[in-house]
Each structure stands twice: as structure tokens, then as C-alpha cells.
Amino acid sequence: MTREELKRVAVIDRLIQKTITTRQAADLLGLSTRQVYRLKNRMRKEGAEGLIHKNRGRKPKHALSDKQREAIMALYQSERYKGSNDHHFAELSRKSPPEKAQKSQAP
């Protein structure tokens, strides 16, 4: 768990034990009272694991495949783009994208 998640667990635990109010918990976490109610209910149902971000460990849906990433890195390190920074490389490759690095488009 991250520090932020550990803090959430501690604050929500104090809320469940009724040592602080929902408003105080919201102020401590920088959230609205509605969000605190949601966290409190999730912690009651799922325990501390319920407060962990659900996308942890997943690869983003829009991420490039390893093969595409390697092809782009090979192009970036090639003689053609030598001396260009990442923004300039992106601009140049958009103007005349090599076939290897083009993202395949599904029908």
C-alpha cells in the first residue's frame, strides 16, 4: 500500500470507531463527505484491501505493445533522427511515419 492508501485506511478506521466525524475525515483526506461515506462502506465490505486503487498492476488500454515500443526506440536512436529531442522526433515522425512504427488499426 502507498502512504496515501495507508492514511486513508487509518482515517476511515478512526471514522468507523467513531473517534472522528465524517466531516473531520473528509478534511483530513481532502475529500467530500460523500466520498468518505463511499470509502467507509467499501472498507466495511472489503476491508483495507477495498481502499486500494483497482487499476494497480494493470497495463493501460492505450499503451503500446512492447514490439511497437522497441520499433519506435530503434527509430529514435537511428541516424535519421539523431540530435532531435522527443518533441521534435514526434513531429518529424508524424510528417513521414515509417511503416514499422505505425500503429496497426483494427477494422
Side-chain angles (χ1 to χ4, degrees), residues 58-73:
R58 294 184 188 172
K59 190 172 183 178
K61 191 171 186 171
H62 63 278
L64 297 174
S65 70
D66 291 337
K67 187 176 180 180
Q68 289 172 322
R69 180 175 286 120
E70 288 172 15
I72 291 169
M73 286 305 297

Side-chain angles (χ1 to χ4, degrees), residues 17-43:
Q17 294 174 8
K18 298 183 181 181
T19 58
I20 61 173
T21 65
T22 304
R23 182 73 249 162
Q24 290 170 328
D27 290 341
L28 287 170
L29 296 173
L31 300 171
S32 68
T33 53
R34 179 179 176 274
Q35 290 295 98
V36 171
Y37 283 122
R38 290 179 62 244
L39 291 175
K40 180 180 169 184
N41 289 334
R42 191 179 312 155
M43 186 156 163

